[in-house]
Amino acid sequence: MNRLYNSMEPRVMDDDMLKLAVGDQGPQEEAGQLAKQEGILFKDVLSLQLDFRNILRIDNLWQFENLRKLQLNNNIIEKIEGLENLTHLVWLDLSFNNIETIEGLDTLVNLEDLSLFNNRISKIDSLDTLVKLQVLSLGNNRIDNMMNIIYLRRFKCLRTLSLSGNPISEAEDYKMFICAYLADLVYLDFRRIDDHTKELAEAKHQYSIDELKHRENLMQARLEEEQAQREELEKHKTAFVEHLNGSFLFDSMYAEDSEGNKLSYLPGVSELLETYKDKFVIICVNIFEYGLKQQEKRKTELDTFSECVHEAIQENQEQGKRKIARFEEKHLSSLSAIREESELPNIEKMILECSADISELFDALMMLEMQLVEQLEETINMFERNIVDMVGLFIENVQSLIAQCRDLENHHHKKLLEISISTLEKIVKGDLDEDLPDDLRALFVDKDTIVNAVGASHDIHLLKIDNREDELVTRINSWCTRLVDKIHKDEIMRNRRRVKEINQYIDHMQSELDNLECGDILD
């Protein structure tokens, strides 16, 4: 199965090889000769043929960013690599090489036809992202496990498969197994699968397929649920209130609080802790729900702003188009008149009038742009004030709610300290009826030890609350700053592009007039 070319040295793809290949497969007529002289940009190449070149390693293809068809068959390639930038590739031929492992294809999400015929591949995998795959040629390889067929069930568009020449193709149940488990397949080993064969295959493997479909449905449901959870979490992050719709923050306060966990076994603390948690979680949920509502308001504000900007630009452009249309109608008529005029003084006068019209158009277009800049500046400033006020109010209200969390923590700390001191007094007097765990009893050696333990627990809780508040405030302020900066930068770039467009158009009109003037004066 391997390809060996003893008459040639192994080669690596370099610029010289690529330029030669591009030139050889381009048009051969006059247009092709001109292209060779001027050079062909690799990014413009849609199809590339590199077969029979003794290539050992794939390299230097990153510039072919729009390539749709690539032939690398009949070389001595050992590893699939260097293809990550060819995201528009639809057709790839790597047949007749020395490839052992399917890899390096993750970014080729548009690939429809893949040939790995006549290599050294023993396992079908690492094709998960090729969701558009329709044709897969893997004949004459080393695939010997029928479970590889199960892997191919995920490719819903797969219609043509070639596996002849592999050890699995010698299995007695080879064709029936494939037809049963890949029910949408149309061609197998270059032959169309008839309906009768499909029916027999389905009947033979029905029980196993039903069981597999059940497992696949469960897996799909789990994946969809996980995806929904990820999307929901992303929505919460956008509102800056992720993990506040439950006990996550409260639980995190005790996750690293060894002293607090010990103290929870004190008599009466369990009930105290339960009440504390219930009230704490209610405040967190209030922050969460308020955050989602405020996010909707911010989104509405941004959508309204974007719509206003779009409408202003569109209306301004329409005015500009109307001015240009009126100018061009008059300008074409003037040019025709100049060409027909034979008297030089009249020509010069008409040219001056045309030049004045061009200048007038320039002034009109620039005036329109200045008006738009002023209009958008006012709109942007108003949006900036609104969004900053909204963010400020959100932070103020969230901080007020988080302050309630601190109040609860302080109250809990006070009660816990009272229970701890009372317990210490009972231990000293020998009046404590309850048995305490050894690690908890070790805290009650003296008042300082128990006070320090309760204080350490309190400090951890306050730090967690403070950190969550700081994170929320920092993130939303950063978001606001980035958003406003981007809007201002986008407007600056829009203005520069528009001024450049106007200047290029005016320069073109003036150049056309200057050329006409020279021609007529010479005549």
Side-chain angles (χ1 to χ4, degrees):
M1 291 189 198
N2 55 329
R3 311 290 301 167
L4 297 174
Y5 295 88
N6 295 323
S7 59
M8 293 174 61
E9 286 293 322
R11 301 176 64 191
V12 175
M13 294 159 61
D14 55 24
D15 273 358
D16 290 339
M17 178 192 290
L18 296 173
K19 287 175 183 176
L20 183 63
V22 169
D24 287 346
Q25 65 194 49
Q28 300 303 315
E29 7 352 297
E30 183 179 349
Q33 297 302 318
L34 183 62
K36 283 186 179 181
Q37 291 173 12
E38 297 182 352
I40 301 172
L41 294 174
F42 287 170
K43 70 180 182 64
D44 296 330
V45 177
L46 300 180
S47 177
L48 185 61
Q49 190 171 337
L50 292 166
D51 52 342
F52 294 100
R53 294 175 190 260
N54 224 50
I55 295 170
L56 177 63
R57 180 169 172 242
I58 305 170
D59 202 359
N60 288 310
L61 290 174
W62 58 272
Q63 296 180 76
F64 292 83
E65 56 192 64
N66 293 306
L67 198 66
R68 293 176 60 84
K69 181 177 180 179
L70 176 60
Q71 287 180 249
L72 286 166
N73 54 291
N74 290 280
N75 286 292
I76 53 173
I77 296 166
E78 297 179 349
K79 182 178 181 180
I80 305 174
E81 60 185 337
L83 303 175
E84 54 275 359
N85 287 340
L86 310 186
T87 55
H88 296 286
L89 209 60
V90 175
W91 194 94
L92 174 62
D93 189 353
L94 285 163
S95 57
F96 294 97
N97 279 288
N98 297 331
I99 298 165
E100 295 184 359
T101 304
I102 300 175
E103 59 187 332
L105 301 172
D106 293 349
T107 61
L108 309 188
V109 295
N110 291 299
L111 202 63
E112 296 176 5
D113 192 316
L114 173 62
S115 179
L116 289 162
F117 187 85
N118 212 98
N119 278 280
R120 301 173 179 178
I121 296 164
S122 58
K123 183 179 181 182
I124 307 175
D125 63 358
S126 302
L127 297 170
D128 299 45
T129 59
L130 311 188
V131 294
K132 297 182 180 180
L133 195 63
Q134 298 178 19
V135 179
L136 179 60
S137 177
L138 280 165
N140 281 19
N141 275 282
R142 299 175 180 178
I143 300 163
D144 59 3
N145 191 334
M146 293 294 280
M147 289 301 102
N148 284 279
I149 305 304
I150 306 299
Y151 173 78
L152 295 176
R153 285 175 61 82
R154 70 193 64 199
F155 302 102
K156 305 304 179 184
C157 298
L158 188 64
R159 297 294 178 267
T160 301
L161 176 66
S162 167
L163 287 168
S164 60
N166 283 282
I168 59 168
S169 65
E170 303 300 321
E172 184 179 347
D173 199 33
Y174 165 72
K175 186 174 182 180
M176 286 294 178
F177 188 91
I178 291 177
C179 292
Y181 282 89
L182 303 178
D184 294 325
L185 210 60
V186 178
Y187 295 95
L188 175 62
D189 297 333
F190 311 107
R191 293 186 178 181
R192 188 177 183 87
I193 304 170
D194 59 78
D195 293 339
H196 180 63
T197 300
K198 286 186 177 183
E199 290 170 3
L200 289 175
E202 183 180 356
K204 183 175 182 180
H205 292 274
Q206 183 172 4
Y207 178 78
S208 298
I209 290 174
D210 288 345
E211 195 176 78
L212 178 61
K213 283 181 178 178
H214 177 67
R215 292 200 303 271
E216 287 175 341
N217 289 337
L218 290 176
M219 176 65 75
Q220 183 62 29
R222 186 173 64 81
L223 291 174
E224 289 174 1
E225 183 181 355
E226 290 175 354
Q227 178 63 24
Q229 289 174 353
R230 284 194 294 271
E231 290 173 0
E232 191 71 10
L233 178 59
E234 197 57 41
K235 178 184 174 184
H236 300 168
K237 285 182 177 179
T238 304
F240 309 101
V241 292
E242 71 276 11
H243 304 308
L244 289 174
N245 54 333
S247 63
F248 180 85
L249 179 57
F250 185 89
D251 295 339
S252 72
M253 286 159 45
Y254 282 88
E256 300 169 9
D257 180 15
S258 59
E259 308 292 28
N261 286 309
K262 294 174 188 176
L263 293 166
S264 66
Y265 289 97
L266 282 173
V269 171
S270 177
E271 295 79 4
L272 180 68
L273 197 57
E274 187 176 343
T275 303
Y276 174 31
K277 181 175 182 178
D278 289 344
K279 291 180 178 179
F280 193 98
V281 170
I282 287 172
I283 296 173
C284 287
V285 171
N286 286 340
I287 296 172
F288 174 79
E289 292 176 348
Y290 174 67
L292 292 185
K293 288 178 182 176
Q294 288 302 302
Q295 168 59 18
E296 283 301 315
K297 289 183 179 180
R298 292 193 295 271
K299 183 178 182 300
T300 300
E301 183 71 22
L302 181 56
D303 290 345
T304 303
F305 163 74
S306 299
E307 188 177 342
C308 288
V309 169
H310 176 72
E311 288 177 358
I313 293 173
Q314 196 169 33
E315 182 181 347
N316 188 275
Q317 287 177 341
E318 290 300 322
Q319 291 183 44
K321 286 177 182 176
R322 288 195 293 270
K323 289 183 181 295
I324 289 173
R326 289 195 295 269
F327 162 79
E328 288 186 345
E329 183 179 359
K330 180 182 177 183
H331 188 65
L332 288 173
S333 176
S334 298
L335 292 180
S336 297
I338 290 172
R339 292 188 182 97
E340 292 173 1
E341 181 60 53
S342 57
E343 297 295 327
L344 184 59
N346 291 339
I347 291 174
E348 290 175 344
K349 180 182 177 182
M350 294 165 74
I351 286 174
L352 286 174
E353 289 174 354
C354 281
S355 185
D357 289 342
I358 293 172
S359 296
E360 184 180 337
L361 175 66
F362 174 75
D363 292 340
L365 293 177
M366 290 301 291
M367 179 61 69
L368 274 177
E369 177 57 21
M370 287 176 63
Q371 291 171 354
L372 179 60
V373 167
E374 291 175 0
Q375 182 182 356
L376 292 183
E377 184 179 4
E378 183 179 345
T379 303
I380 290 170
N381 289 338
M382 183 181 298
F383 169 77
E384 183 176 352
R385 286 194 297 272
N386 290 345
I387 203 71
V388 168
D389 287 347
M390 291 175 75
V391 168
L393 180 62
F394 173 69
I395 290 173
E396 183 181 333
N397 289 334
V398 167
Q399 287 178 327
S400 176
L401 289 167
I402 291 178
Q404 295 178 31
C405 289
R406 286 196 194 88
D407 291 342
L408 284 176
E409 168 56 30
N410 290 331
H411 176 74
H412 176 75
H413 168 66
K414 180 181 177 182
K415 291 294 184 182
L416 181 60
L417 188 57
E418 289 175 359
I419 293 172
S420 299
I421 297 298
S422 175
T423 302
L424 177 62
E425 291 172 351
K426 289 180 181 179
I427 291 174
V428 171
K429 294 177 182 178
D431 294 340
L432 186 68
D433 297 329
E434 295 85 350
D435 289 332
L436 299 180
D438 291 342
D439 57 349
L440 175 56
R441 184 173 284 274
L443 298 177
F444 288 88
V445 291
D446 54 41
K447 186 176 180 179
D448 286 345
T449 303
I450 192 61
V451 168
N452 289 338
V454 175
S457 174
H458 182 50
D459 290 343
I460 289 173
H461 297 176
L462 288 178
L463 182 62
K464 288 287 184 180
I465 295 170
D466 291 346
N467 287 345
R468 186 62 181 91
E469 179 185 13
D470 291 344
E471 180 196 5
L472 185 151
V473 172
T474 301
R475 280 173 51 207
I476 193 168
N477 277 330
S478 297
W479 170 83
C480 185
T481 301
R482 288 196 304 272
L483 174 64
V484 171
D485 286 349
K486 183 178 185 302
I487 287 170
H488 282 292
K489 287 176 182 176
D490 287 349
E491 167 53 17
I492 290 170
M493 294 307 296
R494 184 210 63 78
N495 171 247
R496 288 176 179 172
R497 286 194 302 270
R498 181 56 179 162
V499 170
K500 184 178 179 181
E501 288 171 1
I502 293 171
N503 280 310
Q504 286 178 336
Y505 179 77
I506 294 299
D507 288 346
H508 173 71
M509 291 293 104
Q510 190 63 52
S511 175
E512 188 179 50
L513 183 64
D514 292 344
N515 291 336
L516 178 65
E517 180 181 357
C518 291
D520 284 328
I521 290 173
L522 288 172
D523 290 343

